[in-house]
Amino acid sequence: VTHGTPSVDGFLSPEQIRRVVMSHKGGIQFCYEKELQRVPNLSGKIDIVWTIDLEGRVLKARVESTSMNNSAVEGCITRSVRRWIFPKPQGGHCIVKWPFIFKGGI
């Protein structure tokens, strides 16, 4: 799992977001590898957009775009992101768009 260039709009820095995302990289990898066992050549990019509230919780997360077109991986990642906790933004909500890139095994 790698990532493209994320965009952050709001009251947290890209570095603050990156630290939280990287701390959950294993969970994202799990979502992908579980389905990779079933579909050996699975690969693609999934752009996830989420909103962080004033308490640092994810209010909502969704797939904005995908080239993978695999609802099992996309749903697993979206559910994972909704459980993440970020630093509390000072001043307002924060909207993040994060591209996750997956390269298949075979």
Side-chain angles (χ1 to χ4, degrees):
V1 178
T2 60
H3 62 85
T5 304
S7 74
V8 178
D9 181 20
F11 293 86
L12 288 173
S13 72
E15 179 57 27
Q16 288 173 301
I17 303 294
R18 190 192 70 74
R19 275 196 297 266
V20 174
V21 172
M22 290 298 110
S23 75
H24 292 281
K25 190 174 180 180
I28 300 299
Q29 187 84 30
F30 173 79
C31 289
Y32 173 60
E33 287 179 356
K34 185 173 62 169
E35 193 66 8
L36 189 62
Q37 293 172 7
R38 201 176 67 76
V39 185
N41 61 349
L42 187 65
S43 64
K45 180 173 118 175
I46 303 172
D47 290 329
I48 305 286
V49 173
W50 65 88
T51 303
I52 302 166
D53 72 10
L54 295 176
E55 295 300 312
R57 292 185 303 256
V58 176
L59 275 179
K60 54 188 171 190
R62 64 179 173 81
V63 173
E64 182 178 77
S65 64
T66 178
S67 64
M68 185 179 289
N69 297 313
N70 183 290
S71 59
V73 176
E74 294 154 10
C76 180
I77 292 172
T78 303
R79 286 188 301 276
S80 293
V81 169
R82 286 187 189 127
R83 293 190 298 265
W84 296 354
I85 303 294
F86 291 85
K88 293 179 180 181
Q90 301 299 311
H93 290 183
C94 188
I95 298 170
V96 178
K97 177 181 174 185
W98 195 279
F100 293 98
I101 301 166
F102 304 89
K103 294 185 171 38
I106 294 176

